[in-house]
Amino acid sequence: MSPTPMLQIESLTTTFPGERGPVPVVDDLSLTLTRGEVLALVGESGCGKSVTALSILRLVPRPGRIERGRVLFGGRDLRTLPVAQMRAVRGAEIAMIFQEPMTSLNPVLGVGAQVVEAIALHQPLPRQAAWQHAQQLLALTGIPDPVGRMRNYPHQLSGGMKQRVMIAMAIATRPALLIADEPTTALDVTIQAQILELLRELRQQLGTAVLLITHDLGVVNELADRVAVMYAGRMVELGSREQVLSEPRHPYTQGLLRAMPARARRGQRLTEIPGVVPAPQHWPAGCRFATRCPLAQALCHEVVPATTALSPTHEVACHAVARADWPMPRAGSQRLSLPHTLGPSGPSGPSGPSGPSGPSRSPSSVQQAERGAASDGRPAQAGAGSAAALGREAGAPLLRVEELRTWFPIRSGTLQRSVGWIKAVDGVDLICPAGRTVALVGESGCGKTTVGRSILGLERARAGRVYFDGVDLLALSPRQLLPYRRALQIVFQDPMASLDPRMRARDIVAEGMISFRIGANDRERTERVAELMRRVQLDPDQMGRYPHEFSGGQRQRLCIARALAVGPRLLICDEATSALDVSIQAQILNLLRQLQDELQLSFLFITHDLGVVRYLADRIAVMYLGQVVEEGSTERIFEAPQHPYTRALLAAIPATDPARRQARARVRGDVPSPARPPPGCRFHPRCSEAQARCPIEQPPLFPWADGRSRCFLAAQPPSGGPAADQQARSTADERGSAPARGDS
Amino acid sequence: MQLWSASNLVVAGLLLAGLTLLLIGRRHRLWREVLVQLRRRRPLALLVVAGYVTVALLDSVRWVGGVDAGGDVVAQHEARSVLDRLFAGRRERSYSAPLADREFYGHAPLRHPGGHLLGTDILGRDVLLLTLKGARVALLIGGLTSLIAIPLALLFGVSAGYWGRRIDDGVFFVMSTLASMPTLLLLIALVMVLGRSTVAVCLALAVTSWVGFCRLARGETFKLREMDYVQAARALGVSDLRILLRHIVPNLMHLVVITFVLMFSGLVLSEAILSWLGLGIEGSWGQMIDQARDELSRDPAIWWNLAAAGVALFTLLLAVNFVGDAVRDILDPRTRREPT
């Protein structure tokens, strides 16, 4: 790698117009990138990383504009290039791939045509030669049957394949720099592993430098050489991968790493970063992280910290790091946000008393009553996790799902006859004990969301039984089901879409109360709303606001409050934290655990994020194509997974420990369509251990260890055999020593 | 003073409806924002529309008696509005050109030389007065028709979209049937059946124009039905009716406003065509334009009727279209800048 930087960004400032003048969404950013290296630009939503990428290519959408700075690429300042020359740079020398493969390809043009277009823009080739070249590119990116794919349309391709096509288009001209804006965020974990492997290979083969923009520190660990952390438009830390991930020095980076559930101990509170990211209109003077920083002093609120070089490769922008005599906070104390810094209203307002040491509120009478009703002698908060985990009673099964099937008809023809079925859920068994968390895990399209909705009656199940307190909910009429609705509630993924934008917070939370006639009159209901808001750590004075005036995390709390309003016993969390930033996710996960302790709630946690699952769940059920393929306690599944799919899933998770880079794509290909599931065992076409009888016979759920597994290998003599032991050991080795857990 | 005539009641009803909407709208941030943005983007168009509304209001309430009609015995016993009284006693005998001293044919001296800004028509009535009175008719057409058509379309569209299946098939069938018929012919047929009163014509116009919005409402309801907050409401045991009234319809309101403003011009123009066929509402601009057919073929041509009605019609519709486009831009969820 040549030491001379290929890309040099100096003091880049990009502004967008705001109510009180232009807002610097990217503020005085300086970076260098040398040939062939991968630099990751990390930050949460709104930190300006995507705008940085667009600024390099001069593609900032109006009314934003690049105010100051230089972008030197190969010696030339891209900002001063005439437009025609800039166009020649884009695509040929600097290429970009985007986050959403679904919408990045033109749906009315064939795949081949689009790749050829990308080639032809910069290399005048005769048609035949261009077509061949395109085919070679597709093969290079690992698309099976590239010749056939050339004639396909984008909608005939899966998400992973579309992303490969995008990458093929991007590398068509062997660009020196590839900017990847969240390239794997929209993809499943196994596909993500494949794409990361592809990017690694391409970088090796072609020597392309990559500017990787992401919020996922696991992806950063897998791919990056150097890491730059951004917060509110400014860069706060820059260093090598090992330096930033193992020894972060900026309080924000430290907080981010500590907030990740994958790095946390089971049973312990996640370390939150208090407060929320301030909105651009309300950025404070001085250090923008000061309002949330445990080390903040008066200086931080007034003076912007300069960059301190801790080593030739590691620099941090923080006053505390620069000065040796910085007062350290007392152990356990945390700073709450200062009132003067943020606007009078809007999402940047202090979100109530949400300090990481827990809300300082006096327990209301209702709370006392509820605590009294629950089993006594337990602490209200999960301190040293194990005590609480053991203290939770292994309740009788609250919910028992048997043989659940939900099929969607495929209608076709003038009379709209059903010509086939999408077997979204095809024989699912689940048990949710009282007061525990069961996680339903799987990739997109496996049917886990449909399971949740079928249990609640939001989708019509075709067959099966859902026993709640001994009563089969599916056999009830809508009227008979109504009283049971109180006990089963749901929190959705998208906090934006979950709240009616035309209703005030108070009305939203009170909606369920009105339909179940909880609270005799308006005043009582309002009181209860206030109490619920306090319980989810929201300020009750904000109950007159509309959803858009809350931040994402606050909206999700509102959804939780709405669900709690009717007194449920089981809460289905359908990807409830997937759309939230890591630091906000930590707050919500802590809240959920607290609620579980206080109210003896059970959770059915539907998610694809195995890090969260490991932290939160007691039992895991893994789904694939509408069926449960493995089930067991969390520890057992992570330590010794039996089913090949589970093993592949776990192997694909990127680790955040820089000592281990191990996301391996152990499964090839894409998930088959649920309308035409493979015969026999549904996983057999992608399974590395398929045997002769797998395509013929569908395996039932065999008992295995403390759960079950749907694999013929599980029917063989269990873990006593040497082969199985070897498997289990090698899996554990690959993941390295599992992080210490609370002793449960 | 005979105040309680049918037309007065209709007008009063419309005014009340308008005021109620205004009061409800003021409480919601969204509509306040819309008004502020409108004032900023299209102040002139807004002013023009406001002017027309004022004129229409002046012509709205009619009563008998009061100001002397200047020798016009017939007018004395008619119900006359404020506008009529402003122009009282300015009748001539026949045509006169704008601001002329003499009659158009015969050149006899006028009773009020130079007093007619836009001339007079065949009956000697001041054309300016007639034009101003046309504003009321136009706004009545737009307002009353929309008041019938939009709730009808909402009802059908939302039912079809929310419950789907059979209800959707039924509504879709009716919609498609209506949409396949030639609108004009259907309109003519309805007017001939229902009569030529204002309400009848508005009813006929409503029947032929609800389909477009119904389709829109149905499509939007399909989308809204799948939103998480509707699912959450179902999980909370909220009844279907309450969901429709609380969640679906309020989230369609922006479409209603846009549709209303943009439908307006189409309706007024449709009525003009009806007038041209002799089936329109008494006193509308369309009728004035229809009368101009004969008058233009005379020699020398009488053009001021046509010009006045034409310009008035054109200006109102232009202003309404500007306002409508601006409202659509403001309410478009993609361009709506809501803080996240």
Side-chain angles (χ1 to χ4, degrees):
Chain A
M1 281 188 233
S2 133
T4 50
M6 175 194 63
L7 176 73
Q8 212 167 337
I9 305 176
E10 288 173 13
S11 299
L12 179 68
T13 305
T14 306
T15 58
F16 275 77
E19 280 166 27
R20 283 170 247 165
V23 173
V25 173
V26 178
D27 203 348
D28 202 27
L29 185 74
S30 297
L31 279 179
T32 55
L33 195 66
T34 53
R35 203 162 289 282
E37 83 166 330
V38 179
L39 172 66
L41 200 52
V42 178
E44 297 179 298
S45 43
C47 71
K49 45 193 201 297
S50 289
V51 179
T52 308
L54 294 173
S55 303
I56 296 174
L57 285 172
R58 279 168 59 179
L59 286 175
V60 180
R62 285 203 218 115
R65 46 184 298 265
I66 307 175
E67 199 87 23
R68 280 190 302 278
R70 299 201 300 169
V71 180
L72 296 169
F73 182 70
R76 297 175 295 172
D77 184 0
L78 292 181
R79 278 195 69 200
T80 57
L81 278 186
V83 176
Q85 283 188 33
M86 188 67 216
R87 264 209 292 269
V89 167
R90 282 188 209 126
E93 298 179 54
I94 307 181
M96 187 155 173
I97 56 179
F98 299 90
Q99 172 176 354
E100 275 292 339
M102 303 293 155
T103 53
S104 300
L105 292 174
N106 188 337
V108 301
L109 288 179
V111 164
Q114 298 192 46
V115 183
V116 164
E117 181 188 26
I119 298 172
L121 274 175
H122 299 280
Q123 293 170 342
L125 285 177
R127 245 196 65 140
Q128 195 58 14
W131 197 259
Q132 290 287 8
H133 190 31
Q135 250 170 260
Q136 282 166 8
L137 283 170
L138 287 185
L140 195 63
T141 53
I143 293 185
D145 185 25
V147 178
R149 290 291 173 209
M150 293 281 287
R151 299 230 173 260
N152 281 151
Y153 283 89
H155 70 269
Q156 296 171 290
L157 270 57
S158 72
M161 285 207 274
K162 278 194 267 243
Q163 195 65 301
R164 290 176 199 269
V165 170
M166 287 257 309
I167 294 175
M169 284 164 63
I171 61 169
T173 50
R174 303 284 193 273
L177 171 64
L178 178 67
I179 303 180
D181 189 354
E182 306 266 16
T184 57
T185 307
L187 302 174
D188 287 323
V189 103
T190 47
I191 311 294
Q192 171 177 280
Q194 295 175 10
I195 299 291
L196 288 177
E197 220 170 73
L198 171 65
L199 288 175
R200 269 201 291 263
E201 276 171 24
L202 286 177
R203 175 210 160 176
Q204 230 160 357
Q205 285 181 27
L206 306 175
T208 316
V210 179
L211 178 64
L212 177 67
I213 296 170
T214 179
H215 65 277
D216 187 338
L217 289 169
V219 169
V220 169
N221 186 36
E222 291 296 325
L223 207 53
D225 299 318
R226 286 165 60 226
V227 182
V229 181
M230 280 183 79
Y231 183 82
R234 295 205 184 118
M235 193 170 69
V236 296
E237 188 159 1
L238 172 69
S240 76
R241 182 175 59 97
E242 291 82 11
Q243 284 166 336
V244 175
L245 291 179
S246 306
E247 304 155 357
R249 295 299 301 276
H250 194 279
Y252 174 61
T253 323
Q254 292 171 341
L256 214 55
L257 285 166
R258 277 202 294 262
M260 295 183 60
R263 281 196 169 197
R265 296 160 166 261
R266 265 184 71 80
Q268 262 193 348
R269 269 188 88 87
L270 294 169
T271 316
E272 297 172 16
I273 308 178
V276 292
V277 184
Q281 302 94 288
H282 302 296
W283 278 343
C287 175
R288 290 184 183 150
F289 188 60
T291 53
R292 307 170 73 192
C293 183
L295 300 174
Q297 300 291 328
L299 176 67
C300 302
H301 297 287
E302 290 152 27
V303 179
V304 176
T307 322
T308 319
L310 296 169
S311 80
T313 49
H314 195 177
E315 52 187 55
V316 183
C318 179
H319 290 301
V321 174
R323 287 164 173 62
D325 57 347
W326 198 261
M328 283 295 142
R330 278 156 302 170
S333 76
Q334 295 277 6
R335 295 213 44 142
L336 300 177
S337 31
L338 292 183
H340 73 269
T341 48
L342 306 168
S345 70
S348 52
S351 58
S354 62
S357 48
S360 48
R361 58 180 197 273
S362 48
S364 69
S365 53
V366 178
Q367 228 175 309
Q368 299 276 31
E370 282 176 3
R371 251 190 260 152
S375 70
D376 37 15
R378 272 191 300 114
Q381 290 188 24
S386 54
L390 286 178
R392 273 185 241 142
E393 292 157 6
L398 186 65
L399 183 78
R400 207 169 69 232
V401 178
E402 285 176 12
E403 293 282 313
L404 184 65
R405 283 173 216 279
T406 306
W407 292 358
F408 297 108
I410 307 173
R411 295 193 193 277
S412 162
T414 25
L415 290 179
Q416 294 291 298
R417 298 176 177 288
S418 35
V419 295
W421 299 95
I422 297 183
K423 305 186 182 172
V425 180
D426 204 15
V428 162
D429 299 313
L430 272 183
I431 295 185
C432 298
R436 304 284 205 149
T437 305
V438 174
L440 192 55
V441 180
E443 295 181 303
S444 46
C446 71
K448 52 192 195 297
T449 301
T450 313
V451 167
R453 291 165 62 109
S454 303
I455 293 175
L456 248 55
L458 297 174
E459 293 288 354
R460 240 198 139 73
R462 185 149 274 279
R465 294 166 295 282
V466 174
Y467 289 106
F468 186 79
D469 267 356
V471 180
D472 182 9
L473 298 180
L474 297 182
L476 300 177
S477 74
R479 283 207 84 129
Q480 292 166 321
L481 184 60
L482 207 55
Y484 288 94
R485 285 203 180 282
R486 282 186 70 165
L488 298 163
Q489 281 301 312
I490 185 166
V491 176
F492 293 99
Q493 171 176 6
D494 186 356
M496 270 287 256
S498 307
L499 301 174
D500 188 336
R502 303 250 190 273
M503 285 173 74
R504 295 176 198 268
R506 185 206 154 280
D507 298 322
I508 290 173
V509 178
E511 190 172 18
M513 290 197 265
I514 293 176
S515 70
F516 286 118
R517 305 202 210 290
I518 302 173
N521 54 39
D522 226 28
R523 203 176 41 80
E524 267 186 45
R525 281 194 284 264
T526 310
E527 264 173 42
R528 189 163 155 81
V529 169
E531 209 178 284
L532 285 163
M533 285 181 76
R534 274 191 287 267
R535 188 183 279 276
V536 299
Q537 293 153 19
L538 283 174
D539 183 4
D541 289 336
Q542 298 189 332
M543 72 161 76
R545 298 221 176 132
Y546 287 98
H548 74 275
E549 297 177 83
F550 292 97
S551 71
Q554 289 172 322
R555 274 186 226 133
Q556 201 63 311
R557 291 173 200 270
L558 267 181
C559 293
I560 296 174
R562 174 176 61 186
L564 290 180
V566 296
R569 283 157 61 199
L570 175 75
L571 201 59
I572 300 183
C573 299
D574 189 355
E575 308 266 16
T577 56
S578 308
L580 303 173
D581 286 324
V582 168
S583 54
I584 309 295
Q585 175 179 275
Q587 295 175 4
I588 300 293
L589 289 176
N590 280 339
L591 173 66
L592 287 174
R593 291 192 63 248
Q594 195 173 325
L595 290 170
Q596 183 168 48
D597 284 336
E598 287 175 6
L599 303 173
Q600 271 273 310
L601 276 178
S602 309
F603 289 133
L604 176 60
F605 219 83
I606 299 174
T607 182
H608 62 275
D609 186 343
L610 285 153
V612 169
V613 164
R614 180 183 219 158
Y615 170 70
L616 201 64
D618 298 307
R619 291 192 73 80
I620 301 180
V622 181
M623 273 188 78
Y624 183 80
L625 263 194
Q627 291 176 330
V628 172
V629 296
E630 187 161 6
E631 198 242 318
S633 71
T634 311
E635 293 84 13
R636 203 272 299 166
I637 296 257
F638 272 89
E639 235 179 274
Q642 193 284 327
H643 197 280
Y645 178 63
T646 317
R647 289 211 287 266
L649 207 58
L650 292 173
I653 310 172
T656 55
D657 183 349
R660 283 177 288 124
R661 260 184 171 178
Q662 105 284 326
R664 212 150 312 149
R666 286 177 67 175
V667 58
R668 298 278 143 225
D670 293 298
V671 185
S673 153
R676 276 180 313 278
C681 171
R682 294 184 179 193
F683 188 60
H684 85 262
R686 305 170 77 195
C687 182
S688 48
E689 293 161 59
Q691 298 170 335
R693 66 168 166 164
C694 296
I696 306 174
E697 238 182 281
Q698 187 176 92
L701 278 170
F702 295 108
W704 177 265
D706 59 358
R708 293 173 293 180
S709 176
R710 193 186 286 273
C711 180
F712 289 120
L713 294 172
Q716 291 162 8
S719 34
D725 269 350
Q726 188 64 19
Q727 277 285 18
R729 255 202 299 280
S730 62
T731 327
D733 278 341
E734 280 167 348
R735 249 186 340 264
S737 50
R741 290 181 301 283
D743 42 344
S744 41
Chain B
M1 291 231 286
Q2 185 195 358
L3 218 50
W4 307 115
S5 68
S7 95
N8 281 355
L9 284 171
V10 167
V11 167
L14 281 177
L15 275 178
L16 227 70
L19 273 170
T20 330
L21 285 174
L22 222 69
L23 284 173
I24 298 178
R26 270 172 50 107
R27 287 198 309 149
H28 288 268
R29 177 208 53 92
L30 178 68
W31 303 115
R32 273 205 304 272
E33 171 81 14
V34 167
L35 217 55
V36 163
Q37 290 271 341
L38 262 183
R39 269 205 290 268
R40 207 183 297 170
R41 293 188 198 204
R42 293 265 180 263
L44 192 59
L46 213 54
L47 210 64
V48 168
V49 173
Y52 274 89
V53 172
T54 319
V55 167
L57 283 176
L58 284 175
D59 194 35
S60 290
V61 183
R62 299 156 175 229
W63 65 100
V64 185
V67 174
D68 178 31
D72 189 342
V73 180
V74 177
Q76 194 75 16
H77 295 279
E78 272 181 348
R80 288 174 298 153
S81 68
V82 175
L83 216 55
D84 288 323
R85 289 155 198 278
L86 277 176
F87 282 83
R90 310 263 236 119
R91 269 312 255 284
E92 303 291 348
R93 269 194 296 270
S94 184
Y95 288 114
S96 74
L99 292 173
D101 297 326
R102 304 186 159 274
E103 284 186 18
F104 201 63
Y105 297 116
H107 301 285
L110 291 176
R111 292 193 200 128
H112 307 271
H116 300 285
L117 186 63
L118 291 173
T120 53
D121 73 343
I122 189 169
L123 293 177
R125 295 175 296 192
D126 190 315
V127 169
L128 179 60
L129 172 64
L130 292 178
T131 313
L132 291 177
K133 283 163 77 85
R136 171 183 162 274
V137 179
L139 288 176
L140 200 63
I141 295 169
L144 192 58
T145 312
S146 300
L147 203 64
I148 304 172
I150 289 183
L152 195 70
L154 258 185
L155 176 69
F156 282 132
V158 168
S159 311
Y162 190 75
W163 281 296
R165 301 291 180 77
R166 298 282 169 74
I167 302 182
D168 184 25
D169 287 342
V171 169
F172 204 73
F173 180 72
V174 172
M175 265 174 24
S176 305
T177 312
L178 269 178
S180 329
M181 298 187 198
T183 319
L184 194 54
L185 297 183
L186 186 59
L187 203 52
I188 296 170
L190 281 170
V191 170
M192 299 191 89
V193 165
L194 294 170
R196 293 195 49 202
S197 67
T198 311
V199 177
V201 171
C202 286
L203 201 60
L205 282 170
V207 168
T208 51
S209 49
W210 66 270
V211 175
F213 182 56
C214 183
R215 218 180 261 144
L216 197 61
R218 174 177 168 269
E220 194 73 10
T221 307
F222 273 141
K223 197 183 73 174
L224 288 173
R225 187 182 60 173
E226 301 304 325
M227 292 295 275
D228 283 343
Y229 55 82
V230 172
Q231 302 295 320
R234 286 175 64 199
L236 286 168
V238 180
S239 68
D240 278 343
L241 188 63
R242 234 192 122 76
I243 290 181
L244 284 176
L245 290 176
R246 214 49 166 92
H247 292 289
I248 309 265
V249 171
N251 281 302
L252 290 175
M253 275 304 131
H254 64 285
L255 283 178
V256 167
V257 170
I258 295 170
T259 305
F260 169 68
V261 181
L262 294 174
M263 232 168 82
F264 190 91
S265 47
L267 290 171
V268 174
L269 288 172
S270 298
E271 192 278 334
I273 296 178
L274 278 181
S275 297
W276 197 75
L277 294 166
L279 295 170
I281 300 179
E282 183 74 36
S284 69
W285 291 322
Q287 222 179 41
M288 287 174 71
I289 296 173
D290 180 46
Q291 284 167 358
R293 263 191 300 159
D294 290 327
E295 298 168 355
L296 277 178
S297 53
R298 295 189 191 199
D299 176 33
I302 292 169
W303 52 269
W304 46 95
N305 268 331
L306 176 65
V311 168
L313 181 66
F314 176 76
T315 313
L316 175 63
L317 294 187
L318 191 67
V320 167
N321 271 316
F322 272 133
V323 170
D325 279 341
V327 169
R328 185 180 29 213
D329 284 344
I330 295 169
L331 287 177
D332 185 348
R334 272 166 299 195
T335 57
R336 233 183 300 174
R337 286 178 282 111
E338 307 206 69
T340 44

